[in-house]
Amino acid sequence: GFLTYKNLLLTRWAQHCMHPGQSKLQPLTLSEFIPFFEELLPEEPHGVDDAPRQIPATMKQRFLQWLVEETGLQDFEITGRLGQTFENLFADIEAELGRVAVRNLDARYISLFLLKQSKKT
């Protein structure tokens, strides 16, 4: 896949949530990603015609707290400058993954996080 600011930022955040001390950005395995995904978009998706699941406010707050720790900026500085950008980013996640059940996750179709492709033999 392609590297974008979105998948770099989101992968680094997911990595921090799962492995707080790890400083090197690396693609995640699907098995590493699943527990994070279950917190990011809890519950099972409903029908295909229903609206995608939404990211809980607690996860958005965790993202903001992580940014505060990483940047040294205050939360109000980050939200004042980039609040709408991050809301749009969360909307992108909901659109891409909000209707996907955990059992149907496939790294080939996830663009907003850097995931290792499983090798087929």
Side-chain angles (χ1 to χ4, degrees):
F2 294 100
L3 292 178
T4 67
Y5 81 91
K6 292 177 182 182
N7 62 24
L8 288 171
L9 183 66
L10 290 172
T11 302
R12 185 66 190 112
W13 174 50
Q15 196 173 32
H16 168 78
C17 289
M18 295 176 298
H19 309 291
Q22 189 173 352
S23 60
K24 184 178 177 185
L25 176 68
Q26 296 179 356
L28 305 167
T29 64
L30 193 57
S31 62
E32 288 175 316
F33 180 69
I34 286 173
F36 176 78
F37 176 77
E38 291 175 324
E39 286 186 68
L40 186 65
L41 291 164
E43 303 176 10
E44 284 292 309
H46 305 292
V48 176
D49 294 331
D50 292 338
R53 292 170 293 167
Q54 294 188 323
I55 297 169
T58 55
M59 286 302 283
K60 292 179 181 182
Q61 186 59 40
R62 285 177 65 187
F63 179 76
L64 180 59
Q65 185 57 43
W66 171 71
L67 287 174
V68 166
E69 293 169 11
E70 290 292 311
T71 65
L73 296 172
Q74 298 295 317
D75 57 355
F76 65 87
E77 293 175 292
I78 294 169
T79 56
R81 294 177 190 174
L82 296 167
Q84 189 57 55
T85 300
F86 294 138
E87 285 299 323
N88 294 344
L89 185 57
F90 289 126
D92 289 346
I93 296 169
E94 292 167 354
E96 181 175 295
L97 297 170
R99 290 186 177 98
V100 179
V102 172
R103 67 185 174 281
N104 295 329
L105 284 175
D106 187 328
R108 295 175 295 174
Y109 304 112
I110 299 173
S111 67
L112 291 172
F113 294 88
L114 297 173
L115 300 179
K116 292 179 186 175
Q117 302 293 318
S118 62
K119 295 182 180 173
K120 305 235 176 185
T121 55

